[in-house]
């Protein structure tokens, strides 16, 4: 897909849910997502009714593309090596129906959700050095940190989660990240975190 499309940040090839050797890792492309999010806000996209139980189908169309994320939901996977959400995102040409890509839905969701937060932050928050509060310790926590630090200078990160050990692991991952990380502190309550 051309640059600026919702899937532009994904590597060309995924193996076992991670970028193939030599491909770039998580690099948020919040600016690439801005036209997509604006189109959704203006009603310029179509989103047929979604179905959800143990199998969720989420179709959408925009411009010359049609996509469908199909995933299963298995809450019992939480705390294991598997995500509770397993699935694929299929991207098709809306012009001729050709399948253009098959991507890991877990990776697409991580990147899209964090990028949407980055777009909202850029549009709504003052552009000043900021302290980020992360409430939760799942995969979205680090993804949001990466995306938000791409659009704002972060002076510190506050982390809270129901599981103190997981909160400490997120704080360590953030504090020891590329580029020296950002000071990250764990809080005992959500109220103290924010």
């Amino acid at each position: 897909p051309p640059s600026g499309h919702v899937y532009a940040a994904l590597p060309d090839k995924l193996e076992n849910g991670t970028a193939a050797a030599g491909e770039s890792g998580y690099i948020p492309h919040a600016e690439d997502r801005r036209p997509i999010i604006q189109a959704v806000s203006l009603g310029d996209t179509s989103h047929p009714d979604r179905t959800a139980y143990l199998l969720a189908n989420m179709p959408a169309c925009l411009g010359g593309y049609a996509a469908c994320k199909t995933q299963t939901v298995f809450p019992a996977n939480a705390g294991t090596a598997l995500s509770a959400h397993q699935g694929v995102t299929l991207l098709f040409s809306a012009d001729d129906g050709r399948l253009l890509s098959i991507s890991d839905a877990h990776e697409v969701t991580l990147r899209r959700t964090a990028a949407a937060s980055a777009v909202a932050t850029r549009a709504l928050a003052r552009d000043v050095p900021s302290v980020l509060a992360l409430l939760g310790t799942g995969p979205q926590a680090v993804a949001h940190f990466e995306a938000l630090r791409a659009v704002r200078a972060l002076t510190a990160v506050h982390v809270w989660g129901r599981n103190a050990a997981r909160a400490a692991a997120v704080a360590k991952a953030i504090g020891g990240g590329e580029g020296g990380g950002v000071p990250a502190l764990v809080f005992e309550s959500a109220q103290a975190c924010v």
Side-chain angles (χ1 to χ4, degrees):
S3 178
H5 187 269
V6 71
Y7 298 98
L10 292 176
D12 292 332
K13 182 177 178 185
L14 290 174
E15 295 176 354
N16 298 323
T18 58
E23 296 290 337
S24 61
Y26 178 81
I27 301 173
H29 287 268
E31 197 61 35
D32 289 346
R33 299 320 187 264
R34 184 186 304 211
I36 304 303
I37 292 169
Q38 287 173 335
V40 170
S41 296
L42 295 171
D44 293 338
T45 62
S46 65
H47 298 275
D49 289 339
R50 297 177 179 191
T51 59
Y53 182 60
L54 291 179
L55 179 65
N57 293 298
M58 294 163 263
C61 298
L62 178 64
Y65 299 99
C68 185
K69 180 167 76 170
T70 299
Q71 66 184 32
T72 58
V73 180
F74 284 85
N77 286 353
T80 73
L82 295 174
S83 168
H85 299 110
Q86 299 289 322
V88 297
T89 299
L90 305 171
L91 179 66
F92 300 93
S93 166
D95 297 326
D96 58 21
R98 283 178 301 124
L99 177 63
L100 301 174
S101 74
I102 300 171
S103 302
D104 179 354
H106 180 73
E107 290 296 317
V108 170
T109 300
L110 274 177
R111 296 162 192 260
R112 191 222 57 90
T113 304
S117 292
V119 168
T121 297
R122 178 175 279 162
L124 302 172
R126 290 178 293 146
D127 191 6
V128 297
S130 305
V131 174
L132 172 65
L134 294 173
L135 304 178
T137 59
Q140 285 289 342
V142 174
H144 272 72
F145 163 72
E146 292 291 342
L148 292 170
R149 82 171 176 169
V151 299
R152 287 294 181 267
L154 299 177
T155 58
V157 178
H158 295 177
V159 181
W160 171 82
R162 292 182 303 234
N163 180 311
R166 287 179 62 180
V170 167
K172 182 177 180 183
I174 290 169
E178 293 180 23
V182 173
L185 304 168
V186 176
F187 288 81
E188 292 184 13
S189 72
Q191 292 83 2
C193 184
V194 296

